[in-house]
């Protein structure tokens, strides 16, 4: 039997970043805010993401409880992804961060990113 790995966090921000880590999860959450999407529509809604990365991110987000994967047993098979209440709550929490980004987008785009980190 596989032992479940537990994590402890130093603060709430540490915990939140662990759940939504990376750039793709936030964009997937944003794409799903208005309702369920199938894989192809989700891939079109998140420009620049590869099929492989989208599959991995969706699996992680399902494991963490941010989204629900509904499989319709029909021909051809149909799968839809939607946000859980946990996912909607994270989207709501991220909204002010997105607004901050919009307000400062020109300054952020002007950052010499090749000199950072």
């Amino acid at each position: 039997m596989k032992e479940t790995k537990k994590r402890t966090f130093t603060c709430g921000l540490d915990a939140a970043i662990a759940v939504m880590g990376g750039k793709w999860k936030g964009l997937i959450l944003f794409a799903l805010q208005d309702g369920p999407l199938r894989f192809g529509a989700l891939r079109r809604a998140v420009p620049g993401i590869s099929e492989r990365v989208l599959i991995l991110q969706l699996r992680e987000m399902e494991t963490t409880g941010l989204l629900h994967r509904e499989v319709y047993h029909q021909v051809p098979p149909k799968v839809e992804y939607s946000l859980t209440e946990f996912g909607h709550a994270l989207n709501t929490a991220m909204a002010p961060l997105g607004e901050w980004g919009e307000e400062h987008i020109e300054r952020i785009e002007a950052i010499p990113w090749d000199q950072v980190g």
Side-chain angles (χ1 to χ4, degrees):
M1 198 156 139
K2 186 177 178 188
E3 190 174 324
T4 304
K5 183 179 169 190
K6 301 280 186 197
R7 274 188 67 181
T8 55
F9 301 96
T10 56
C11 65
L13 185 60
D14 184 26
I17 289 171
V19 171
M20 68 155 283
K23 77 176 191 177
W24 298 117
K25 288 187 180 97
L27 296 174
I28 293 166
L29 284 170
F30 184 76
L32 289 170
Q33 71 182 351
D34 295 326
L37 290 175
R38 292 175 70 172
F39 184 86
L42 197 47
R43 186 160 178 214
R44 288 188 296 277
V46 183
I49 194 167
S50 71
E51 187 170 324
R52 179 181 172 278
V53 170
L54 180 56
I55 290 167
L56 292 171
Q57 296 295 294
L58 291 171
R59 282 185 191 151
E60 286 180 22
M61 293 172 76
E62 188 178 7
T63 300
T64 58
L66 292 174
L67 61 81
H68 173 71
R69 181 177 183 263
E70 183 73 35
V71 179
Y72 297 89
H73 298 289
Q74 62 185 50
V75 178
K78 175 180 164 184
V79 178
E80 280 186 341
Y81 297 91
S82 59
L83 294 181
T84 61
E85 286 302 313
F86 189 52
H88 278 292
L90 181 55
N91 242 0
T92 300
M94 285 179 19
L97 184 60
E99 290 167 14
W100 177 86
E102 286 292 329
E103 286 175 31
H104 299 92
I105 198 162
E106 289 179 16
R107 179 177 180 174
I108 296 166
E109 286 176 342
I111 293 169
W113 290 104
D114 58 334
Q115 297 173 28
V116 177

